[in-house]
Amino acid sequence: MHTLLFLLLLAGTQSATARTHSLQYFYTASSHVPNFPEFVYVGLVDEVPISHYDSNTMKTEPKQDWMLKATDSQYWESETQKSLGEQQWFKVNSETLKERFNQTEGVHIIQRMYGCEWDDETGEVKGYDQHGYDGEDFISLDLETETWIAPTPQAVITKLKWDNNKALLANQKNYYTQVCPDWLKKYLEHGKSSLLRTELPSMSLLQKSPSSPVSCHATGFYPDSAMLFWRKDGEEHHEDVYVGEVLPNHDGTFQMSADLQVSSIPPEDWRRYDCVFQLSGVKEDIVKRLDKDSVESNREKPTDVTTIIIVAAVVVLALVLAVTGFIVYRKRNAKCPPSPGKDPNVLKPLNPDGQVSNSPSETSS
């Protein structure tokens, strides 16, 4: 089962020189696992879920819009019936395995992973069928020898039974080498707008501190068949380099990083290094030259501190000038005569007898 989990983690991380497509199905049957369905099935194309069934909903449903458009209601009814049959098959086998391992109650998990891979450049096809129980490999199909491999004594009974069923072996070989790849190509055609798209990443060089490695980070690319590495003088460089795994982004794209330890590299030699990103289906490489000016850091730069000090000084000076100006203004007001709007005597008549002088029209003869 460790092999199963390892394949789950690494599926899709193929060489950028050729794109390998995959059609995979995962089944999980469990007992006494809180808040988890007793049976779950997921179908995936190039690691993208296309169908799903669980024992809670009791329905097989599409997970992509293009999958829904390419099928009809009868197709999903048929898939639901198949899933119900698989659910019952796993339930019976769960009891059988508990007897073989002398188990009674408790948490137990059966898993199956099967499917095929197709290289769109070479045409090479690979099929696989693996079963696991309680986190360990139980039995797997060897298509080359057309026999089953049993790594545990409890699986030998199953191996002998399935090896003797030649008709079943012939049918499985036909499925994994012919039927499965044909369906994979059909799914790729129906979902090509999303499955076969190509998105280039944004790249950046990051460093936390002068003693930290420089991390070349590429994010937003699709598909996940990509390579990221460092070069020195145009040659691939592996010394003091750590390449991380491809990780998914929330929007369906991917990201990865490659770290280069630069503490032993003289500053004048930095420009001899560059980070290279290669994406499957894209001929041109994306290259990021190692240069101190292009490395982003979360350290506080001296120029930033100087700017802050200058801005603060200007603000303080402006405040002092404002206060000083207000004080001067108050003093000047105290010495000047009152304004017309504030002295009531200014509104008194200018003539001693209290009469207002005539207007120009009244003085004319």
Side-chain angles (χ1 to χ4, degrees):
M1 195 52 170
H2 294 307
T3 305
L4 262 177
L5 296 176
F6 183 74
L7 288 171
L8 281 171
L9 290 173
L10 295 185
T13 56
Q14 308 293 332
S15 168
T17 58
R19 184 162 183 189
T20 301
H21 301 281
S22 62
L23 174 58
Q24 301 169 304
Y25 295 95
F26 296 99
Y27 294 87
T28 300
S30 60
S31 58
H32 305 289
V33 178
N35 303 318
F36 192 78
E38 290 185 354
F39 181 75
V40 177
Y41 137 76
V42 180
L44 305 100
V45 172
D46 286 356
E47 299 300 306
V48 176
I50 61 169
S51 57
H52 173 271
Y53 169 93
D54 66 60
S55 54
N56 290 342
T57 63
M58 305 288 282
K59 289 178 61 179
T60 303
E61 299 174 316
K63 301 301 290 183
Q64 301 295 325
D65 290 339
W66 59 263
M67 190 68 177
L68 181 61
K69 294 177 182 178
T71 55
D72 54 23
S73 59
Q74 290 185 344
Y75 173 86
W76 295 107
E77 290 175 4
S78 174
E79 289 299 302
T80 296
Q81 293 303 315
K82 292 178 183 178
S83 298
L84 288 169
E86 293 285 353
Q87 179 179 337
Q88 185 61 30
W89 185 87
F90 272 90
K91 187 174 183 179
V92 172
N93 279 278
S94 176
E95 297 301 319
T96 301
L97 290 177
K98 281 192 286 187
E99 291 179 5
R100 291 191 191 176
F101 285 89
N102 295 320
Q103 298 167 334
T104 53
E105 298 301 321
V107 175
H108 299 290
I109 298 176
I110 303 177
Q111 288 181 285
R112 181 189 181 192
M113 178 181 74
Y114 71 93
C116 59
E117 296 178 351
W118 168 62
D119 190 308
D120 62 6
E121 289 188 3
T122 65
E124 182 183 8
V125 172
K126 294 181 180 179
Y128 50 88
D129 191 348
Q130 299 174 318
H131 299 249
Y133 181 66
D134 284 353
E136 301 290 339
D137 290 337
F138 181 74
I139 194 170
S140 60
L141 177 63
D142 185 340
L143 281 174
E144 294 293 329
T145 61
E146 297 186 39
T147 58
W148 290 88
I149 300 173
T152 63
Q154 290 85 353
V156 173
I157 299 175
T158 303
K159 167 185 166 55
L160 295 175
K161 181 179 179 181
W162 290 359
D163 279 351
N164 288 328
N165 194 337
K166 300 302 180 182
L168 178 60
L169 283 171
N171 181 65
Q172 288 177 320
K173 185 174 183 178
N174 178 68
Y175 173 79
Y176 292 118
T177 59
Q178 300 293 329
V179 178
C180 182
D182 287 346
W183 274 106
L184 172 56
K185 295 171 186 177
K186 291 177 182 178
Y187 290 141
L188 290 172
E189 178 61 27
H190 288 304
K192 61 183 178 182
S193 61
S194 60
L195 295 174
L196 300 182
R197 76 185 191 276
T198 298
E199 294 186 28
L200 297 178
S202 61
M203 293 182 63
S204 55
L205 300 178
L206 310 171
Q207 187 182 35
K208 293 182 180 180
S209 68
S211 60
S212 301
V214 172
S215 178
C216 179
H217 185 243
T219 184
F221 61 87
Y222 187 92
D224 61 352
S225 302
M227 292 182 67
L228 187 67
F229 57 91
W230 283 94
R231 289 190 314 201
K232 179 182 179 182
D233 297 332
E235 299 292 332
E236 194 165 338
H237 181 74
H238 301 284
E239 185 179 354
D240 295 328
V241 172
Y242 172 75
V243 180
E245 62 181 303
V246 177
L247 300 174
N249 290 324
H250 69 280
D251 60 357
T253 62
F254 299 90
Q255 61 170 298
M256 67 185 306
S257 297
D259 297 346
L260 172 66
Q261 184 56 256
V262 295
S263 57
S264 60
I265 302 177
E268 61 270 18
D269 288 344
W270 273 38
R271 293 186 64 83
R272 297 173 62 188
Y273 296 81
D274 49 39
C275 181
V276 182
F277 177 86
Q278 296 178 342
L279 185 65
S280 175
V282 179
K283 295 181 179 180
E284 297 294 328
D285 297 343
I286 301 178
V287 180
K288 190 81 171 177
R289 179 64 60 90
L290 179 60
D291 184 273
K292 284 190 177 293
D293 293 335
S294 63
V295 176
E296 300 178 31
S297 173
N298 58 4
R299 289 174 287 150
E300 193 174 52
K301 298 181 181 179
T303 53
D304 295 337
V305 177
T306 303
T307 303
I308 293 174
I309 293 175
I310 293 174
V311 172
V314 171
V315 171
V316 171
L317 180 61
L319 181 62
V320 171
L321 291 175
V323 173
T324 303
F326 180 72
I327 294 174
V328 171
Y329 172 77
R330 291 290 299 273
K331 288 182 178 181
R332 286 181 177 176
N333 278 353
K335 294 179 180 180
C336 293
S339 64
K342 294 183 179 180
D343 188 356
N345 294 322
V346 175
L347 298 179
K348 291 181 179 180
L350 294 179
N351 297 331
D353 57 0
Q355 298 296 320
V356 179
S357 61
N358 295 330
S359 65
S361 59
E362 293 174 336
T363 58
S364 57
S365 55

mmCIF file of all heavy atoms in Angstrom, residues 284-311:
data_model
loop_
_atom_site.group_PDB
_atom_site.id
_atom_site.type_symbol
_atom_site.label_atom_id
_atom_site.label_comp_id
_atom_site.label_asym_id
_atom_site.label_seq_id
_atom_site.Cartn_x
_atom_site.Cartn_y
_atom_site.Cartn_z
ATOM 1 N N GLU A 284 10.067 26.618 -25.867
ATOM 2 C CA GLU A 284 10.952 27.621 -25.295
ATOM 3 C C GLU A 284 11.042 27.483 -23.773
ATOM 4 O O GLU A 284 10.041 27.312 -23.087
ATOM 5 C CB GLU A 284 10.461 29.030 -25.649
ATOM 6 C CG GLU A 284 10.458 29.335 -27.135
ATOM 7 C CD GLU A 284 11.864 29.355 -27.713
ATOM 8 O OE1 GLU A 284 12.793 29.738 -26.983
ATOM 9 O OE2 GLU A 284 12.024 28.989 -28.897
ATOM 10 N N ASP A 285 12.278 27.557 -23.247
ATOM 11 C CA ASP A 285 12.485 27.552 -21.803
ATOM 12 C C ASP A 285 12.265 28.954 -21.237
ATOM 13 O O ASP A 285 12.443 29.957 -21.935
ATOM 14 C CB ASP A 285 13.912 27.105 -21.458
ATOM 15 C CG ASP A 285 14.194 25.676 -21.893
ATOM 16 O OD1 ASP A 285 13.213 24.945 -22.146
ATOM 17 O OD2 ASP A 285 15.379 25.299 -21.971
ATOM 18 N N ILE A 286 11.891 29.016 -19.975
ATOM 19 C CA ILE A 286 11.818 30.287 -19.270
ATOM 20 C C ILE A 286 13.038 30.350 -18.348
ATOM 21 O O ILE A 286 13.234 29.465 -17.506
ATOM 22 C CB ILE A 286 10.520 30.404 -18.449
ATOM 23 C CG1 ILE A 286 9.301 30.281 -19.360
ATOM 24 C CG2 ILE A 286 10.482 31.727 -17.693
ATOM 25 C CD1 ILE A 286 7.979 30.335 -18.622
ATOM 26 N N VAL A 287 13.859 31.372 -18.528
ATOM 27 C CA VAL A 287 15.127 31.463 -17.803
ATOM 28 C C VAL A 287 15.143 32.719 -16.928
ATOM 29 O O VAL A 287 14.782 33.814 -17.374
ATOM 30 C CB VAL A 287 16.325 31.496 -18.779
ATOM 31 C CG1 VAL A 287 17.638 31.581 -18.010
ATOM 32 C CG2 VAL A 287 16.300 30.273 -19.681
ATOM 33 N N LYS A 288 15.574 32.541 -15.689
ATOM 34 C CA LYS A 288 15.692 33.642 -14.736
ATOM 35 C C LYS A 288 17.142 33.710 -14.264
ATOM 36 O O LYS A 288 17.629 32.807 -13.592
ATOM 37 C CB LYS A 288 14.742 33.412 -13.549
ATOM 38 C CG LYS A 288 14.595 34.603 -12.619
ATOM 39 C CD LYS A 288 13.620 35.604 -13.159
ATOM 40 C CE LYS A 288 13.298 36.678 -12.135
ATOM 41 N NZ LYS A 288 12.389 37.711 -12.673
ATOM 42 N N ARG A 289 17.841 34.790 -14.636
ATOM 43 C CA ARG A 289 19.252 34.944 -14.283
ATOM 44 C C ARG A 289 19.390 35.330 -12.807
ATOM 45 O O ARG A 289 18.646 36.164 -12.296
ATOM 46 C CB ARG A 289 19.897 36.006 -15.176
ATOM 47 C CG ARG A 289 21.362 36.303 -14.902
ATOM 48 C CD ARG A 289 22.234 35.092 -15.163
ATOM 49 N NE ARG A 289 22.146 34.650 -16.532
ATOM 50 C CZ ARG A 289 22.944 35.087 -17.506
ATOM 51 N NH1 ARG A 289 23.857 35.996 -17.256
ATOM 52 N NH2 ARG A 289 22.810 34.603 -18.722
ATOM 53 N N LEU A 290 20.377 34.713 -12.135
ATOM 54 C CA LEU A 290 20.637 35.023 -10.738
ATOM 55 C C LEU A 290 21.377 36.346 -10.655
ATOM 56 O O LEU A 290 22.517 36.473 -11.127
ATOM 57 C CB LEU A 290 21.456 33.905 -10.079
ATOM 58 C CG LEU A 290 21.827 34.124 -8.609
ATOM 59 C CD1 LEU A 290 20.575 34.260 -7.746
ATOM 60 C CD2 LEU A 290 22.698 32.971 -8.104
ATOM 61 N N ASP A 291 20.735 37.331 -10.074
ATOM 62 C CA ASP A 291 21.304 38.664 -9.953
ATOM 63 C C ASP A 291 20.765 39.282 -8.669
ATOM 64 O O ASP A 291 19.583 39.152 -8.359
ATOM 65 C CB ASP A 291 20.920 39.510 -11.174
ATOM 66 C CG ASP A 291 21.578 40.868 -11.135
ATOM 67 O OD1 ASP A 291 20.991 41.786 -10.525
ATOM 68 O OD2 ASP A 291 22.682 41.002 -11.686
ATOM 69 N N LYS A 292 21.640 39.975 -7.931
ATOM 70 C CA LYS A 292 21.209 40.532 -6.643
ATOM 71 C C LYS A 292 20.042 41.501 -6.800
ATOM 72 O O LYS A 292 19.176 41.591 -5.922
ATOM 73 C CB LYS A 292 22.387 41.227 -5.954
ATOM 74 C CG LYS A 292 23.380 40.260 -5.320
ATOM 75 C CD LYS A 292 24.389 40.985 -4.446
ATOM 76 C CE LYS A 292 25.322 39.989 -3.763
ATOM 77 N NZ LYS A 292 24.603 39.150 -2.783
ATOM 78 N N ASP A 293 20.015 42.222 -7.909
ATOM 79 C CA ASP A 293 18.927 43.178 -8.122
ATOM 80 C C ASP A 293 17.590 42.495 -8.398
ATOM 81 O O ASP A 293 16.528 43.101 -8.231
ATOM 82 C CB ASP A 293 19.272 44.106 -9.287
ATOM 83 C CG ASP A 293 20.449 45.014 -8.975
ATOM 84 O OD1 ASP A 293 20.683 45.266 -7.783
ATOM 85 O OD2 ASP A 293 21.136 45.439 -9.926
ATOM 86 N N SER A 294 17.635 41.239 -8.851
ATOM 87 C CA SER A 294 16.396 40.531 -9.191
ATOM 88 C C SER A 294 15.899 39.631 -8.064
ATOM 89 O O SER A 294 14.841 39.031 -8.177
ATOM 90 C CB SER A 294 16.607 39.688 -10.455
ATOM 91 O OG SER A 294 17.595 38.697 -10.229
ATOM 92 N N VAL A 295 16.674 39.554 -6.975
ATOM 93 C CA VAL A 295 16.281 38.708 -5.847
ATOM 94 C C VAL A 295 15.407 39.503 -4.888
ATOM 95 O O VAL A 295 15.806 40.553 -4.383
ATOM 96 C CB VAL A 295 17.523 38.166 -5.099
ATOM 97 C CG1 VAL A 295 17.091 37.373 -3.868
ATOM 98 C CG2 VAL A 295 18.347 37.279 -6.028
ATOM 99 N N GLU A 296 14.216 39.026 -4.655
ATOM 100 C CA GLU A 296 13.298 39.665 -3.713
ATOM 101 C C GLU A 296 13.579 39.149 -2.311
ATOM 102 O O GLU A 296 13.885 37.983 -2.106
ATOM 103 C CB GLU A 296 11.844 39.370 -4.093
ATOM 104 C CG GLU A 296 11.465 39.866 -5.483
ATOM 105 C CD GLU A 296 10.040 39.503 -5.832
ATOM 106 O OE1 GLU A 296 9.209 39.422 -4.903
ATOM 107 O OE2 GLU A 296 9.752 39.281 -7.017
ATOM 108 N N SER A 297 13.467 40.067 -1.326
ATOM 109 C CA SER A 297 13.757 39.695 0.053
ATOM 110 C C SER A 297 12.766 40.369 0.970
ATOM 111 O O SER A 297 12.250 41.442 0.679
ATOM 112 C CB SER A 297 15.190 40.095 0.431
ATOM 113 O OG SER A 297 15.414 39.876 1.804
ATOM 114 N N ASN A 298 12.486 39.730 2.116
ATOM 115 C CA ASN A 298 11.602 40.346 3.104
ATOM 116 C C ASN A 298 12.398 41.116 4.157
ATOM 117 O O ASN A 298 11.866 41.556 5.165
ATOM 118 C CB ASN A 298 10.726 39.291 3.803
ATOM 119 C CG ASN A 298 11.567 38.218 4.486
ATOM 120 O OD1 ASN A 298 12.799 38.278 4.504
ATOM 121 N ND2 ASN A 298 10.902 37.214 5.049
ATOM 122 N N ARG A 299 13.713 41.266 3.878
ATOM 123 C CA ARG A 299 14.532 42.074 4.775
ATOM 124 C C ARG A 299 14.236 43.554 4.529
ATOM 125 O O ARG A 299 13.947 43.976 3.426
ATOM 126 C CB ARG A 299 16.015 41.812 4.531
ATOM 127 C CG ARG A 299 16.489 40.453 4.981
ATOM 128 C CD ARG A 299 17.926 40.247 4.567
ATOM 129 N NE ARG A 299 18.017 40.023 3.123
ATOM 130 C CZ ARG A 299 19.038 40.361 2.379
ATOM 131 N NH1 ARG A 299 20.064 40.960 2.917
ATOM 132 N NH2 ARG A 299 19.049 40.121 1.074
ATOM 133 N N GLU A 300 14.370 44.385 5.587
ATOM 134 C CA GLU A 300 14.126 45.821 5.464
ATOM 135 C C GLU A 300 15.360 46.480 4.882
ATOM 136 O O GLU A 300 16.446 46.421 5.439
ATOM 137 C CB GLU A 300 13.809 46.401 6.846
ATOM 138 C CG GLU A 300 13.245 47.795 6.791
ATOM 139 C CD GLU A 300 12.805 48.263 8.162
ATOM 140 O OE1 GLU A 300 13.603 48.179 9.097
ATOM 141 O OE2 GLU A 300 11.662 48.714 8.288
ATOM 142 N N LYS A 301 15.225 47.123 3.734
ATOM 143 C CA LYS A 301 16.349 47.749 3.075
ATOM 144 C C LYS A 301 16.677 49.085 3.730
ATOM 145 O O LYS A 301 15.778 49.815 4.164
ATOM 146 C CB LYS A 301 16.024 47.978 1.587
ATOM 147 C CG LYS A 301 15.776 46.682 0.836
ATOM 148 C CD LYS A 301 15.495 46.963 -0.615
ATOM 149 C CE LYS A 301 15.229 45.665 -1.381
ATOM 150 N NZ LYS A 301 14.933 45.929 -2.800
ATOM 151 N N PRO A 302 17.978 49.488 3.796
ATOM 152 C CA PRO A 302 18.369 50.764 4.379
ATOM 153 C C PRO A 302 17.684 51.939 3.720
ATOM 154 O O PRO A 302 17.304 52.892 4.378
ATOM 155 C CB PRO A 302 19.895 50.797 4.147
ATOM 156 C CG PRO A 302 20.292 49.364 4.026
ATOM 157 C CD PRO A 302 19.132 48.688 3.385
ATOM 158 N N THR A 303 17.529 51.888 2.404
ATOM 159 C CA THR A 303 16.880 52.994 1.702
ATOM 160 C C THR A 303 15.438 53.172 2.166
ATOM 161 O O THR A 303 14.940 54.287 2.261
ATOM 162 C CB THR A 303 16.891 52.746 0.190
ATOM 163 O OG1 THR A 303 16.337 51.454 -0.069
ATOM 164 C CG2 THR A 303 18.305 52.785 -0.351
ATOM 165 N N ASP A 304 14.782 52.075 2.497
ATOM 166 C CA ASP A 304 13.413 52.158 2.991
ATOM 167 C C ASP A 304 13.372 52.843 4.349
ATOM 168 O O ASP A 304 12.494 53.658 4.628
ATOM 169 C CB ASP A 304 12.801 50.757 3.091
ATOM 170 C CG ASP A 304 12.663 50.108 1.725
ATOM 171 O OD1 ASP A 304 12.621 50.863 0.730
ATOM 172 O OD2 ASP A 304 12.620 48.859 1.659
ATOM 173 N N VAL A 305 14.337 52.525 5.222
ATOM 174 C CA VAL A 305 14.395 53.134 6.544
ATOM 175 C C VAL A 305 14.655 54.626 6.415
ATOM 176 O O VAL A 305 14.044 55.461 7.091
ATOM 177 C CB VAL A 305 15.505 52.465 7.390
ATOM 178 C CG1 VAL A 305 15.614 53.163 8.736
ATOM 179 C CG2 VAL A 305 15.211 50.994 7.571
ATOM 180 N N THR A 306 15.579 54.994 5.521
ATOM 181 C CA THR A 306 15.895 56.407 5.299
ATOM 182 C C THR A 306 14.667 57.176 4.832
ATOM 183 O O THR A 306 14.390 58.290 5.295
ATOM 184 C CB THR A 306 17.019 56.530 4.249
ATOM 185 O OG1 THR A 306 18.151 55.790 4.699
ATOM 186 C CG2 THR A 306 17.404 57.992 4.048
ATOM 187 N N THR A 307 13.927 56.562 3.918
ATOM 188 C CA THR A 307 12.713 57.204 3.412
ATOM 189 C C THR A 307 11.708 57.446 4.523
ATOM 190 O O THR A 307 11.085 58.516 4.614
ATOM 191 C CB THR A 307 12.073 56.324 2.312
ATOM 192 O OG1 THR A 307 13.024 56.116 1.283
ATOM 193 C CG2 THR A 307 10.832 56.989 1.746
ATOM 194 N N ILE A 308 11.566 56.461 5.395
ATOM 195 C CA ILE A 308 10.620 56.588 6.509
ATOM 196 C C ILE A 308 11.045 57.723 7.435
ATOM 197 O O ILE A 308 10.220 58.526 7.899
ATOM 198 C CB ILE A 308 10.531 55.258 7.279
ATOM 199 C CG1 ILE A 308 9.884 54.191 6.391
ATOM 200 C CG2 ILE A 308 9.717 55.431 8.562
ATOM 201 C CD1 ILE A 308 9.881 52.808 7.006
ATOM 202 N N ILE A 309 12.365 57.829 7.714
ATOM 203 C CA ILE A 309 12.868 58.874 8.599
ATOM 204 C C ILE A 309 12.613 60.256 8.003
ATOM 205 O O ILE A 309 12.180 61.187 8.678
ATOM 206 C CB ILE A 309 14.375 58.664 8.869
ATOM 207 C CG1 ILE A 309 14.571 57.384 9.688
ATOM 208 C CG2 ILE A 309 14.968 59.862 9.590
ATOM 209 C CD1 ILE A 309 16.019 57.022 9.897
ATOM 210 N N ILE A 310 12.876 60.379 6.679
ATOM 211 C CA ILE A 310 12.670 61.660 6.002
ATOM 212 C C ILE A 310 11.209 62.063 6.049
ATOM 213 O O ILE A 310 10.862 63.214 6.354
ATOM 214 C CB ILE A 310 13.169 61.576 4.552
ATOM 215 C CG1 ILE A 310 14.695 61.412 4.527
ATOM 216 C CG2 ILE A 310 12.759 62.817 3.765
ATOM 217 C CD1 ILE A 310 15.255 61.174 3.134
ATOM 218 N N VAL A 311 10.325 61.121 5.750
ATOM 219 C CA VAL A 311 8.893 61.415 5.773
ATOM 220 C C VAL A 311 8.449 61.837 7.165
ATOM 221 O O VAL A 311 7.688 62.800 7.344
ATOM 222 C CB VAL A 311 8.088 60.190 5.296
ATOM 223 C CG1 VAL A 311 6.601 60.424 5.511
ATOM 224 C CG2 VAL A 311 8.369 59.907 3.831
#
